[in-house]
Every structure is written in structure tokens, then in C-alpha cells.
Amino acid sequence: MTSGADHRTGPRRRGSELEDAILTAALDELTEVGLAELRMERVALRAQASKASLYRRWPSRLELAMAAVRHAFPDLDAAADTGSLRGDLLGLLRGVADQLAGPAGQALAAVLSESLLDPARAGRAGAPPGGTTLRALRLVADRAVSRGEIDPARVTDRRLEAGSALLRHHFITHGAPVPDEIVVAIVDEVALPLLTGDGLWSSRRPAPEEYARSSSPSRRHDEVSRHARCPHPSS
Amino acid sequence: MTSGADHRTGPRRRGSELEDAILTAALDELTEVGLAELRMERVALRAQASKASLYRRWPSRLELAMAAVRHAFPDLDAAADTGSLRGDLLGLLRGVADQLAGPAGQALAAVLSESLLDPARAGRAGAPPGGTTLRALRLVADRAVSRGEIDPARVTDRRLEAGSALLRHHFITHGAPVPDEIVVAIVDEVALPLLTGDGLWSSRRPAPEEYARSSSPSRRHDEVSRHARCPHPSS
């Protein structure tokens, strides 16, 4: 039995180290063979772990696959503090776009494809991928509140998720990679104004000089100049 | 040959009448057997049309399936004028939610599932379903502009699509039906404030009396009272 042997050949790992190894192996398998062909045994072999250590954590391959996708997507660590809400949102959604363009995106496509055809089964298999992104978005919003950039009364989970929903919608209907100008437009037209209430972040926005004049006094100068350097949204 | 016989047994139909019959038959087939088992011949038989009349319009079953889903979703006719932007958005997105809960939703799930696994093929098969909803949303926004409810400079396709992207995201991750309180919350927290810039449409909104006091003078009274009757968003 290969699954018995693995445990002895590799170093003894426990907890999050072992979990990381299994989820990374699952993502690699998922990308190579797809969800329909994903086998617990192959993942165990690849991670040099016992099959029991997989089944203990994830009773089925769908649960394992969803955990692998969640594991690959940006979490709290990815929500780097850039000093402004716009910078943080751009950083976070660019991170998601990067993941969508790689193996995690292929794995997510396989998982979403299965959950579309059998939503009840997907529901039983655990929270949908995207929960870690929401946690990161909440952190970004909390920082913006403490900077005084936004009113906490404006922040809701649904508003925080609007940007990533549009990004995922683009991914589902057009595939990857999602072009960077789309990510920028999603932030400037939707994600940011939903939280700031600032209508100036529109695709038909005024020229930078005009923008600086009409901008509220509380807006930070670095945001205005960073904004002026951004490519114009394509649509 | 059944496909030859059909043409003679039924009444001779042309143009949109024939197209309607074929797309309705395709949707029924898609719902019953799924995309993998969809056969042009079966659809032709069901629609009492010739196979040639199908292939002339849609070269493959994926193209036919996508056309059938587009056909089933709300179009311009569904964007009824309720007298307010909020009413129109609610009407439109409730229409989408109703479709998602029925055969069109199952058919959309099959089509999206396939396009997730092979985005290039889906791209070649035509515009993704959702285009008709966008056209209806544009009509709703145009009416709000002519009523003076919103500034045309705020309207972009991406903002218009944010609500339906969240709705579809909910459908993809949780299945159908999408509860009505989710539709209402999507309109009040995301779709409407993106267009009006009005931060009061938040999930932590004030009590109706307080709302009426703090509301801008230009807000119509009927909107305020309709709003007060709405269930509170669940999250």
C-alpha cells in the first residue's frame, strides 16, 4: 500500500504544515487532472501523507478541492497596508486576478463548475471559496475606517463583495487572465465609490487638475496623483 | 428521417416565430437532460423544425444552449416602468431571480459550468448570457436620468451590472432560489447607491422617521414609504 508507506518515508509533519502540503498537492492534482479525476489516493501520494490524514479532514474530494481553492486565494496576509483604501483594494483585487490566472483559477473553475451542476452537494461540502477574500476585504475596510477615509455605517459585506463578484463574473464569462484595466475599473467605478460614496470615481471622470479642484479637502494628495497615473478603464 | 418529416407535419413558421419555438424546445431539453446530453436532433423534433433550420442559426449545441438561456432571461420588455429607479431595479432583479429559480436557471448553470471548464470555446460560441439583462438595465437607468433621479455621469455598464453580478454570484455559490431579501439588499446596498450616490441606502439604515428627516428634499415621498415597508436585509 503506497498510502501506508508515505507516512514513513517523509518527515513527520503535523497540523498546519501537513495541511499545507496536502492542500498544495490537491491544488496541483486538481489543475492537472480536473475535479472529476481527482483521487484522494493520488493527492496523498503527492503530499507524502496517509490517506487517513486526508479523510480525517475532508470527507470527500469535493470538500478537499474547495479547501484547496480557499487555501490558494488571498487571505489576511494579502491585504497589505498601502496607506490608502484605493491602494489596498487594488492590491487585494490584483492578487485575486493573479490567482485566477494561475492554477488556483483553474481549480476554482472546476469547483464552481461542479457546484453549479449540484449546488446542494456543494453547499454540504463547506463554505464557498471567496470567504477568505471577504475576510481580507473586511480588514482593508477596518483600516480605512481608522484612517478616517470612510464612514463605518457605509460598510456592509455585500458592498465589500461587489468588486470581487464583478471580478469573478468577468472570469466566469471571459476566462483568465482578467486584464488589469478591468481590475482598476472595478475598483474605481464600483468597489471604492460604494464605500466612500464619492461619485467622482466614475469612468467619465474629469481631468486630474479638475479632479484635484473638485475633490473634497479630506482627500489625500497621494491618492489624487496615484489616481491620475492609472490607465483609463476600457469600457 | 424524423427531421425531414417535421417540416411537413406542423404549420410552416418563419423568422422569430420559428426561432422562439426552437429556443423554447432547446431550453426544455437542456433542463431535462443537461448540456452534455443535448442533441440538435432531439431539439428539432421537439420544436417540430428541421435540423437544418437549427444548424443554419447555431452551428453547435453550445451556441444553441447559450442562445436559449439568453432568450429566457429578462429583456427590454421586463424592464417595466414603476415610476422610480428603485422600483425598476427591484422589478428587474426580481425577474432575474425568478428565472434563476426555474428551468432557465438550470440551463444557465449548465452553460456556465461548461464555459468555466472551457472559456475559449464558450467565447467562440457567442456573447455570455447576461447581455439582455444589461440592455434592460441601461433602459432603466435612462428613465431614471430623464426623471432627474440620477446624474448621467454616474452611469457606467459596470455599475449597472454590479447588482446582477452579485445576484449571479449568490446563485453560483448557494444555488436557487435566491431569497427575496437578498435581492432587496442587493438593490438597496449596492445597485441603487452606485447610481444615486446616496449613502443612506445602507443596511444599517435609520428608522423610517429618522430616514425621512435626514433624506434629501428631492427624494420622492412614495420612495421613502415603499422603502420603509421593505424587509430588512438578512446580513
Side-chain angles (χ1 to χ4, degrees):
Chain A
M1 287 280 291
T2 49
S3 58
D6 296 331
H7 224 19
R8 291 153 215 256
T9 55
R12 190 95 182 174
R13 296 153 306 173
R14 294 193 179 278
S16 66
E17 199 196 344
L18 176 60
E19 214 159 281
D20 277 4
I22 295 170
L23 293 176
T24 303
L27 191 73
D28 291 344
E29 275 288 307
L30 203 50
T31 310
E32 278 177 30
V33 305
L35 185 55
E37 299 298 320
L38 189 74
R39 297 287 170 266
M40 300 296 252
E41 175 128 23
R42 291 270 320 150
V43 175
L45 197 66
R46 190 160 196 156
Q48 294 192 288
S50 70
K51 271 210 293 188
S53 66
L54 270 71
Y55 278 110
R56 206 161 38 231
R57 291 167 175 85
W58 307 281
S60 76
R61 59 186 182 83
L62 183 59
E63 270 148 316
L64 175 62
M66 288 175 84
V69 173
R70 275 195 296 273
H71 183 70
F73 271 80
D75 60 4
L76 296 180
D77 303 335
D81 189 347
T82 66
S84 77
L85 175 59
R86 181 171 186 272
D88 286 5
L89 287 173
L90 274 176
L92 187 53
L93 292 189
R94 279 177 172 150
V96 173
D98 283 349
Q99 295 285 351
L100 289 175
Q106 286 175 259
L108 175 67
V111 165
L112 286 181
S113 175
E114 176 120 350
S115 60
L116 271 165
L117 296 176
D118 194 349
R121 182 164 165 243
R124 286 192 303 274
T132 53
T133 304
L134 177 59
R135 281 202 298 279
L137 284 163
R138 283 189 192 131
L139 183 70
V140 160
D142 286 348
R143 280 202 304 252
V145 167
S146 42
R147 274 188 213 110
E149 278 188 276
I150 55 174
D151 175 356
R154 290 193 64 89
V155 182
T156 73
D157 281 357
R158 200 162 279 113
R159 284 187 178 165
L160 289 173
E161 286 190 299
S164 51
L166 277 168
L167 192 58
R168 199 169 286 188
H169 180 65
H170 193 280
F171 169 71
I172 289 170
T173 50
H174 297 89
V178 180
D180 193 56
E181 61 263 31
I182 300 283
V183 179
V184 173
I186 286 173
V187 168
D188 285 339
E189 291 178 32
V190 175
L192 192 59
L194 272 176
L195 299 176
T196 62
D198 182 351
L200 286 172
W201 299 94
S202 129
S203 70
R204 301 178 208 172
R205 54 178 103 91
E209 320 78 67
E210 196 188 336
Y211 179 81
R213 272 203 313 279
S214 65
S215 155
S216 76
S218 67
R219 182 168 302 284
R220 297 153 53 113
H221 177 70
D222 63 350
E223 270 199 34
V224 175
S225 53
R226 195 180 307 132
H227 181 248
R229 282 199 304 273
C230 285
H232 200 279
S234 63
S235 70
Chain B
M1 288 279 290
T2 48
S3 58
D6 297 332
H7 223 18
R8 290 154 216 255
T9 54
R12 192 96 181 173
R13 295 151 308 172
R14 294 191 180 280
S16 66
E17 198 196 344
L18 177 59
E19 213 159 281
D20 277 3
I22 296 170
L23 293 176
T24 303
L27 191 72
D28 291 345
E29 276 288 306
L30 202 50
T31 311
E32 278 177 29
V33 305
L35 185 56
E37 299 299 319
L38 188 74
R39 297 286 171 267
M40 299 296 251
E41 175 129 22
R42 291 269 321 149
V43 174
L45 196 65
R46 192 161 194 153
Q48 293 191 288
S50 69
K51 271 210 293 186
S53 65
L54 269 71
Y55 279 109
R56 207 162 37 233
R57 291 168 174 84
W58 307 282
S60 77
R61 59 187 182 83
L62 183 58
E63 271 146 318
L64 175 62
M66 287 174 85
V69 173
R70 276 195 296 274
H71 183 69
F73 271 80
D75 61 3
L76 296 181
D77 303 334
D81 190 347
T82 65
S84 77
L85 175 58
R86 181 170 187 271
D88 286 6
L89 288 172
L90 274 177
L92 188 53
L93 292 189
R94 279 177 171 150
V96 173
D98 283 348
Q99 295 286 352
L100 289 175
Q106 285 176 260
L108 175 67
V111 165
L112 285 181
S113 174
E114 177 120 349
S115 61
L116 270 165
L117 296 176
D118 194 349
R121 183 166 163 244
R124 286 193 303 274
T132 51
T133 305
L134 177 59
R135 282 203 298 279
L137 284 163
R138 283 189 193 131
L139 183 70
V140 160
D142 286 348
R143 280 202 303 253
V145 167
S146 42
R147 275 187 212 112
E149 278 188 278
I150 55 174
D151 175 356
R154 291 192 63 89
V155 181
T156 73
D157 281 357
R158 201 162 279 112
R159 283 186 179 168
L160 289 173
E161 286 190 300
S164 51
L166 277 169
L167 192 59
R168 200 170 285 191
H169 180 65
H170 193 279
F171 169 71
I172 289 170
T173 50
H174 296 89
V178 180
D180 192 57
E181 60 263 30
I182 300 283
V183 179
V184 173
I186 287 173
V187 167
D188 285 339
E189 291 178 31
V190 175
L192 191 59
L194 272 176
L195 300 176
T196 61
D198 182 352
L200 283 174
W201 299 95
S202 128
S203 71
R204 302 180 207 172
R205 54 179 105 91
E209 319 79 65
E210 196 188 337
Y211 180 81
R213 273 202 313 277
S214 65
S215 155
S216 77
S218 67
R219 179 169 302 285
R220 297 153 53 112
H221 177 70
D222 63 348
E223 271 198 37
V224 174
S225 53
R226 195 180 308 133
H227 181 250
R229 282 197 305 272
C230 285
H232 200 279
S234 63
S235 70

